[in-house]
Amino acid sequence: MRILWDGKEERIRLCGIDAPKLKQQLREASRNNLQSLAKRSNNQARLTVVDVDRYGQEVAEVFSVSRTVLNVEHIRAAMTICTGSMLLTALTKLKWSRQKQQSKQSKQGIWNI
């Protein structure tokens, strides 16, 4: 995800998420969903950096102005693969787990391939 911070574009990774890569199915839909989530928050968000990946990118939870966790909403839309290997706060981890299960059961997005 690209963010604008103090007039400079930065790249961050969303924790708990393994988004489809360039040539994978649903890549475009996943990207569009994330852009839509950002627009609903007027392209403003608060980040909680929880880790730095092996490439030096910050890994973060992204919260909308209304405190919605965009990471969880992206999982809810089933536009990404969830991974438990990255750190999550306890509350987000609980939401993440529930949304993953609901998405799988309803065969949404990536769970319908």
Side-chain angles (χ1 to χ4, degrees):
M1 175 180 223
R2 292 186 180 118
I3 61 168
L4 193 60
W5 181 261
D6 287 336
K8 182 180 169 193
E9 187 175 278
E10 302 277 342
R11 289 181 57 106
I12 61 160
R13 291 188 56 203
L14 300 178
C15 69
I17 288 178
D18 184 14
K21 307 300 182 258
L22 280 174
K23 296 184 180 185
Q24 290 179 321
Q25 288 183 349
L26 293 179
R27 178 190 181 275
E28 195 90 10
S30 178
R31 186 190 67 193
N32 292 343
N33 182 67
L34 195 53
Q35 288 174 341
S36 174
L37 290 171
K39 284 180 185 176
R40 279 190 237 154
S41 187
N42 295 322
N43 290 320
Q44 296 181 353
R46 183 175 58 85
L47 304 177
T48 299
V49 176
V50 296
D51 202 1
V52 175
D53 71 12
R54 63 182 172 198
Y55 306 108
Q57 279 188 326
E58 292 179 331
V59 179
E61 287 182 308
V62 182
F63 299 86
S64 71
V65 176
S66 64
R67 296 193 170 274
T68 300
V69 184
L70 298 187
N71 311 51
V72 172
E73 293 303 310
H74 201 45
I75 292 166
R76 179 179 301 191
M79 289 296 151
T80 185
I81 297 170
C82 314
T83 175
S85 64
M86 294 182 182
L87 299 173
L88 295 169
T89 64
L91 180 59
T92 301
K93 193 166 191 163
L94 178 62
K95 290 179 182 177
W96 168 82
S97 180
R98 287 181 186 154
Q99 293 310 320
K100 178 181 176 182
Q101 196 60 31
Q102 287 175 1
S103 295
K104 278 179 128 178
Q105 287 174 348
S106 63
K107 297 186 185 244
Q108 291 177 280
I110 61 171
W111 304 111
N112 193 29
I113 296 175

